[in-house]
Amino acid sequence: MGKLLKYEFRKTLGIKMIILAITAVIEAFVLIGLYTESEDTFAISTCILVLESFVAIILIGIYGIRLLHKDLNTKQSYMLFMTPNSSYKILGSKVIESGASIIIGGSFFIALGALDAVLISAKYGELEEMFDALGYFFSDLVRLDSGVVITSLFSMLVSWLFVITLGFFAEVIAATLLNGRKHSSILSFIIFIVILIVVSNVVANVAHPGSSSSYISISYNIINIVIYALLSLVMYFITAWIMDNKLSV
């Protein structure tokens, strides 16, 4: 498993370095705008940095799914699946790599955001007022305290991990049960979307039963994290079982 994990991390290192380089450039513009008191530069670069952080986490997950697609549909699959490793280990290394990359990447962007917030506070001393204003604006949705913010962010990261494991499932379905059928990729994508919609609705009802309120609390986020983590594990075992029993390379 250790060698497989190193192999997976090595394959995704390139895109991570590109993301890191882009982040460094954007952060440089944020700091330039902050300390030169250029409001336009600071505002635009800050918005781009926030957007880039979400896009980066999404790209990391999509890239992992793309690598599995490549493994299943090219000669590369022969090299990987002919090694003395079970499908559980091969897929497990991909899930662990994706999960670790998402958590580490998400934590990095959270820490970077916190650092920028401290720098803004040190520069202007108005951070508390800004959070009070944001808390009033989002008062019907969320209490803007650190616990809710952190658990909300990690809830998004874990739910995204579930989407990735579901993407792995769809790729394996296309390469096994739907292999040779016309429009197999489209059919597997439809299966992906249907399962995602159903699961999202079920989780929302379980995490917030019998309530029409959209209010977000720490307990709501923790329930989401636990459920999506368990669902990711379930999708992993189902997908690995299909690979082990139906995949032909």
Side-chain angles (χ1 to χ4, degrees):
M1 177 66 85
K3 290 183 179 179
L4 286 172
L5 281 172
K6 288 180 182 179
Y7 176 64
E8 292 299 328
F9 274 107
R10 193 161 54 242
K11 287 196 297 185
T12 59
L13 183 60
I15 190 171
K16 292 170 186 173
M17 295 304 295
I18 292 173
I19 290 171
L20 188 60
I22 293 173
T23 303
V25 172
I26 299 172
E27 176 65 14
F29 278 101
V30 171
L31 297 178
I32 290 171
L34 177 63
Y35 289 106
T36 61
E37 299 186 358
S38 174
E39 294 183 359
D40 289 342
T41 300
F42 176 73
I44 294 172
S45 57
T46 300
C47 290
I48 293 175
L49 182 61
V50 172
L51 178 62
E52 188 256 353
S53 65
F54 285 100
V55 172
I57 298 301
I58 292 172
L59 282 178
I60 289 172
I62 293 176
Y63 192 73
I65 296 172
R66 177 183 175 275
L67 287 177
L68 177 61
H69 176 84
K70 187 176 180 181
D71 288 338
L72 294 172
N73 295 279
T74 66
K75 291 182 180 179
Q76 188 169 308
S77 65
Y78 179 84
M79 297 171 59
L80 180 62
F81 289 98
M82 289 299 105
T83 59
N85 293 290
S86 68
S87 296
Y88 290 90
K89 285 186 178 181
I90 294 172
L91 183 64
S93 65
K94 293 180 180 294
V95 172
I96 292 172
E97 189 280 327
S98 294
S101 296
I102 289 171
I103 298 299
I104 293 172
S107 298
F108 167 77
F109 283 112
I110 291 171
L112 183 61
L115 175 61
D116 285 340
V118 170
L119 294 176
I120 295 170
S121 179
K123 176 72 174 177
Y124 296 109
E126 298 176 350
L127 191 61
E128 184 176 349
E129 290 82 353
M130 180 183 72
F131 276 108
D132 287 342
L134 288 173
Y136 176 79
F137 182 77
F138 292 108
S139 59
D140 291 334
L141 179 63
V142 58
R143 286 178 185 166
L144 201 64
D145 60 56
S146 58
V148 173
V149 172
I150 292 173
T151 54
S152 294
L153 291 171
F154 276 98
S155 177
M156 287 189 290
L157 293 176
V158 176
S159 63
W160 179 236
L161 176 60
F162 166 72
V163 174
I164 294 169
T165 58
L166 184 58
F168 289 160
F169 171 77
E171 286 291 346
V172 170
I173 288 294
T176 55
L177 303 181
L178 299 177
N179 188 29
R181 295 192 179 186
K182 192 175 182 180
H183 307 307
S184 60
S185 296
I186 296 175
L187 289 173
S188 64
F189 181 72
I190 292 173
I191 292 172
F192 168 84
I193 294 297
V194 170
I195 294 176
L196 182 60
I197 292 173
V198 171
V199 168
S200 298
N201 287 322
V202 170
V203 171
N205 289 328
V206 170
H208 221 167
S211 174
S212 60
S213 172
S214 59
Y215 178 74
I216 298 174
S217 64
I218 292 178
S219 61
Y220 175 88
N221 289 329
I222 291 175
I223 293 172
N224 269 358
I225 291 170
V226 171
I227 292 175
Y228 276 117
L230 290 174
L231 287 173
S232 299
L233 195 61
V234 169
M235 291 307 307
Y236 156 70
F237 279 110
I238 292 174
T239 306
W241 183 87
I242 294 174
M243 289 174 63
D244 222 27
N245 291 273
K246 303 295 182 180
L247 186 63
S248 176
V249 294

